[in-house]
Amino acid sequence: MSKKIVIIGGDAAGMGAASKIRRTHKNWEITVFEKSPHTSYSACGMPYLIAGQVDRPEKLIARSPETFINDYNIQAKTLHEVIQIDPDKQKVLVKDLEKDEAFWESYDKLLIATGASPNKPAIPKINTQGVFCLSTLQSGIEVWQFMEKHKPKKAVIVGGGYIGVEMAEALLEKGLEVTVIDRSAYVMKTLDQDMSEDICQSMRKAGIHLMLEESLTAIETDENHQLQAVKTDKKHIPADLVILGMGVKPNTKIAEEAGIKLCDTGAVLVNDKMETSISNIWAAGDCASSYHILKEKPMFIALGTIANKHGLIAGSNMAGENSTFPGVLGTAITRFNELEIARTGLKELEAKSMGLAYKVATINSSNYAGYYPGAGKIKVKLLARKDNLQIIGAQIIGKKGSAKRIDTIVAAISAKQTAQDLTMMDLAYAPPFSNVWDPVQIAARQLV
Amino acid sequence: MSKKIVIIGGDAAGMGAASKIRRTHKNWEITVFEKSPHTSYSACGMPYLIAGQVDRPEKLIARSPETFINDYNIQAKTLHEVIQIDPDKQKVLVKDLEKDEAFWESYDKLLIATGASPNKPAIPKINTQGVFCLSTLQSGIEVWQFMEKHKPKKAVIVGGGYIGVEMAEALLEKGLEVTVIDRSAYVMKTLDQDMSEDICQSMRKAGIHLMLEESLTAIETDENHQLQAVKTDKKHIPADLVILGMGVKPNTKIAEEAGIKLCDTGAVLVNDKMETSISNIWAAGDCASSYHILKEKPMFIALGTIANKHGLIAGSNMAGENSTFPGVLGTAITRFNELEIARTGLKELEAKSMGLAYKVATINSSNYAGYYPGAGKIKVKLLARKDNLQIIGAQIIGKKGSAKRIDTIVAAISAKQTAQDLTMMDLAYAPPFSNVWDPVQIAARQLV
């Protein structure tokens, strides 16, 4: 029997689910409401657009609303915001943002894929022109257009996480003077401090003013309301562009108002089928929780890879199949200029706070055979449970080819492999790719 | 109680074992006999020496005999060939190649790490100057010196395996006209033909004359015994340099004469402790068999990574510990110019010949996010058992960053993961490194 599917949110999770349902059921009615003008875009590509490495925003769009409508028979309605869910009557209240009209739409099965929104500090003048968050494609385009038009010269980035580091590289690439402020003692807090210090060093060496243990307190403007500077608890920093990279929070207002359970982290609580606490309603993507395999609890991690997997699993179950999501390890990867950075599983600080007895090895080696031209440094930090040496986490920084090695460890953790198992794996070696003992295995050997 | 260790062969396996024993027992007497002048070198680096990317042979030596003697108290005796093993009296007959004298040396525990030797076809004039095999570091140095001195212009490489492809790149880099002959219908026979065809195409595009289904029948010289050409079953090809890359055979003469069991493939048969059929004798490295995890039988695979692992396990057991070698997957990686090539586990042909019911997916994707500058093609072929979708093999070819992705699959196969497991792994994604679904996962999804 044909079903009527409604999906709230038209990015990775929502469109992934829609596409999966369409592949399984040619005749089901699938409608997606997306409040922005765009569907299925790569938010992660925005720093590279702003850096000029990607030449226009359209390149970041995987599939347009027209493609979904024409090629997939998925009704992708952009500039439509769902403002209320009625789970008893199984319908949603939708606001057409262009016509400024609202209407009720019924559903048999509903997916909440409302994403996340950037955190903004509650300080005066935070909405001044020239102060941006990066979240939706629209926000990326606004930064890009602002830069084209105003040619800013001094940027302040607030927050030294992934967005902060990637934007620092991008703005440096565009010739700006770049200051990064972070209230912590080090950047990239998903890594341990000993690993982060190499990144701080690399950023400073590239000319970035890195202001640690320093907090944004105010935005300063001139008499014409033009952005002039930021103020921190320590100093005053001239700026004609401010990027806020202070993390995101899940968009759960309508879910919460509908009585759907949230988890501690504020995300919509889902089980391994991506089902919420109310029947016929699933959630996926940045707004939904992800079970952390090692922490054994639901977490809020807003990442494109996870959103895509959520979407596939939710779509599969909504289509009547039986798929489960095993959970996440908190894997992440990025780059600052030549320095590649990756992490997965637990960092030392996390293992400690869980009260887990662990062993740790940190090794320095080279990305290729030491004698091979262009060989550079790689540093691998590997954590294992103390009792059985089961691998529980890793952090890698290094030159070309370093960071993607994290995937070997992701696979090892996913399959509950030990340091001994990892040491003996038949990993690939040739001088342009690795040492004869892959750096990952050198770290594993040290744990054994 | 202190033991007397004798090791035959001073490259990766032998020296790896010696070092491991030394780390465990500070006072044991450890003597290594190596017939060549060198210890612990990277044979795999020779093509890059010949290409000029590594500027001198010494760079390929990890540790010299002097280092072993002075820093590790390991008696590394080069230019010493063991010519007989007497397992009853526990002694070996050693020939000092410089003094041309032989002497008996007793042992408590013996390791055979005699390596492998290149196959040479039984055709006239195969020992003509200018016709080379690549095996020991010495052989690499000879090619390198020959090229410095004679500046050859036309090279013929016989055999399109790893050595053949790497030498083709190296000689092309040095400006030679390069012909590669292979008696098969395609190069890189550890891959399936559909994957190899992209490599053949890439080699031809780079200007290599690729002569397939063609066999070397003779070496031709002029009246002064100077190399002039090679003759194949199809034609005559002018050449002033010939490289034979026709595989290797294990060096097992003294083992066999001592009554040690060999396996079908001709290698010394060892168990998972690297023990041979005779007590107090271990074998490791290219001369020893390796258990293939998926084929479930001992194989002969001569590779540096495996030799290093053999050495570590043999050394550990000889030192009185209890270590086991889980086996190999036949992982290999190389490169032809910009094209990266890797494989692991079973190729389609192998699965077929084992009578295994399998599913296969071959996908084309991009190494980085499609919109990221420099993004190039990647092709992943993934095999899984038909009954439970357990991953059993993979082949990858593609641009920068493609080949090392094989390690993710190596880990997955080692841990008996399925295509579904691989699809849901929390692999790393950022635009400069991957698509949001890693190509490996795109292939896994197709299998599911």
Side-chain angles (χ1 to χ4, degrees), chain A residues 23 42 45 53 305 308-309 329-331 333 335 371-373 404 407 415 417 425-426 428-429 436 438 445, chain B residues 23 42 45 53 305 308-309 329-331 333 335 371-373 404 407 415 417 425-426 428-429 436 438 445:
Chain A
R23 287 196 297 276
S42 171
Q53 294 168 332
T305 39
N308 271 279
K309 292 189 185 84
L329 291 173
T331 309
I333 189 170
R335 192 190 68 182
Y371 56 79
Y372 191 79
K404 256 297 209 178
D407 285 353
Q417 300 286 285
M425 278 180 192
D426 194 6
Y429 155 66
V436 67
D438 191 277
R445 275 185 69 179
Chain B
R23 286 196 298 274
S42 170
Q53 294 168 331
T305 37
N308 271 281
K309 293 190 185 86
L329 291 173
T331 309
I333 188 169
R335 191 192 68 181
Y371 55 79
Y372 191 78
K404 255 299 208 177
D407 285 352
Q417 299 286 284
M425 279 181 191
D426 194 6
Y429 155 67
V436 67
D438 191 277
R445 275 185 71 178

Side-chain angles (χ1 to χ4, degrees), chain A residues 181-213:
Chain A
I181 302 170
D182 199 292
R183 60 183 176 183
S184 308
Y186 59 102
V187 298
M188 299 294 287
K189 279 195 300 290
T190 63
L191 276 68
D192 286 314
Q193 186 162 2
D194 56 339
M195 298 297 282
S196 167
E197 267 160 14
D198 294 53
I199 306 167
C200 293
Q201 201 181 346
S202 177
M203 289 175 78
R204 288 195 164 113
K205 212 171 143 188
I208 285 171
H209 310 295
L210 196 53
M211 307 295 167
L212 298 173
E213 299 181 299

Side-chain angles (χ1 to χ4, degrees), chain B residues 3 10 13 18 96 107 128 131 139 204 260 277 284 383 405-406:
Chain B
K3 297 279 182 186
D96 181 330
Y107 65 81
T128 301
V131 180
S139 68
R204 287 196 164 112
I260 293 170
S277 62
L383 273 76
R405 282 175 152 101
I406 204 78

Side-chain angles (χ1 to χ4, degrees), chain A residues 98-227:
Chain A
E98 282 178 303
K99 297 187 185 158
D100 199 22
E101 289 171 2
F103 58 91
W104 285 95
E105 180 93 9
S106 68
Y107 64 82
D108 294 316
K109 305 183 185 205
L110 176 70
L111 177 66
I112 303 172
T114 43
S117 295
N119 292 322
K120 270 190 182 186
I123 57 170
K125 302 186 185 172
I126 193 73
N127 293 317
T128 301
Q129 206 205 13
V131 180
F132 296 97
C133 295
L134 270 186
S135 55
T136 58
L137 180 57
Q138 194 53 37
S139 68
I141 293 173
E142 282 163 16
V143 177
W144 182 69
Q145 286 171 337
F146 178 87
M147 289 184 59
E148 293 287 306
K149 190 171 168 198
H150 298 278
K151 311 275 178 209
K153 293 197 169 45
K154 291 172 190 290
V156 171
I157 296 169
V158 187
Y162 290 88
I163 293 266
V165 168
E166 289 167 8
M167 281 304 296
E169 179 191 307
L171 296 176
L172 210 60
E173 173 89 15
K174 293 294 278 186
L176 279 79
E177 188 179 340
V178 179
T179 301
V180 174
I181 302 170
D182 199 292
R183 60 183 176 183
S184 308
Y186 59 102
V187 298
M188 299 294 287
K189 279 195 300 290
T190 63
L191 276 68
D192 286 314
Q193 186 162 2
D194 56 339
M195 298 297 282
S196 167
E197 267 160 14
D198 294 53
I199 306 167
C200 293
Q201 201 181 346
S202 177
M203 289 175 78
R204 288 195 164 113
K205 212 171 143 188
I208 285 171
H209 310 295
L210 196 53
M211 307 295 167
L212 298 173
E213 299 181 299
E214 195 161 330
S215 297
L216 178 71
T217 54
I219 300 290
E220 298 187 343
T221 56
D222 64 13
E223 60 277 15
N224 298 318
H225 309 292
Q226 295 297 302
L227 176 64

Side-chain angles (χ1 to χ4, degrees), chain A residues 233-439:
Chain A
D233 50 352
K234 293 185 180 168
K235 66 177 90 66
H236 166 103
I237 308 166
D240 48 9
L241 173 67
V242 175
I243 304 285
L244 304 173
M246 306 173 77
V248 293
K249 54 181 180 296
N251 295 329
T252 55
K253 184 168 174 283
I254 52 168
E256 198 176 3
E257 286 171 355
I260 293 171
K261 236 184 233 167
L262 306 186
C263 64
D264 292 350
T265 60
V268 175
L269 182 68
V270 292
N271 63 13
D272 63 0
K273 314 270 182 220
M274 308 309 295
E275 292 166 336
T276 68
S277 62
I278 292 185
S279 62
N280 294 322
I281 305 183
W282 286 257
D286 290 356
C287 69
S289 67
S290 287
Y291 179 78
H292 193 293
I293 295 170
L294 296 167
K295 295 185 181 176
E296 299 181 339
K297 62 179 184 183
M299 305 283 292
F300 166 59
I301 301 179
L303 276 178
T305 39
I306 297 175
N308 271 279
K309 292 189 185 84
H310 277 190
L312 183 64
I313 297 292
S316 172
N317 290 317
M318 291 171 79
E321 298 169 359
N322 182 13
S323 296
T324 56
F325 182 57
V328 301
L329 291 173
T331 309
I333 189 170
T334 190
R335 192 190 68 182
F336 178 76
N337 288 345
E338 299 282 287
L339 191 70
E340 299 185 355
I341 304 159
R343 59 96 60 222
T344 192
L346 305 176
K347 65 173 179 169
E348 220 175 332
L349 216 59
E350 288 170 314
K352 261 182 201 147
S353 76
M354 287 169 67
L356 202 65
Y358 65 91
K359 280 180 79 172
V360 61
T362 304
I363 64 99
N364 289 286
S365 181
S366 62
N367 53 350
Y368 313 141
Y371 56 79
Y372 191 79
K377 287 182 186 173
I378 178 173
K379 188 169 173 180
V380 179
K381 181 171 183 174
L382 192 62
L383 273 77
R385 290 174 61 106
K386 199 170 186 178
D387 53 358
N388 59 9
L389 288 186
Q390 191 181 315
I391 306 291
I392 55 169
Q395 295 157 57
I396 301 178
I397 53 175
K399 294 297 170 89
K400 198 88 194 157
S402 293
K404 256 297 209 178
R405 281 172 154 102
I406 204 78
D407 285 353
T408 312
I409 302 170
V410 170
I413 297 178
S414 302
K416 300 188 190 309
Q417 300 286 285
T418 66
Q420 182 64 32
D421 294 332
L422 187 53
T423 302
M424 282 297 141
M425 278 180 192
D426 194 6
L427 301 184
Y429 155 66
F433 298 99
S434 181
N435 272 308
V436 67
W437 288 99
D438 191 277

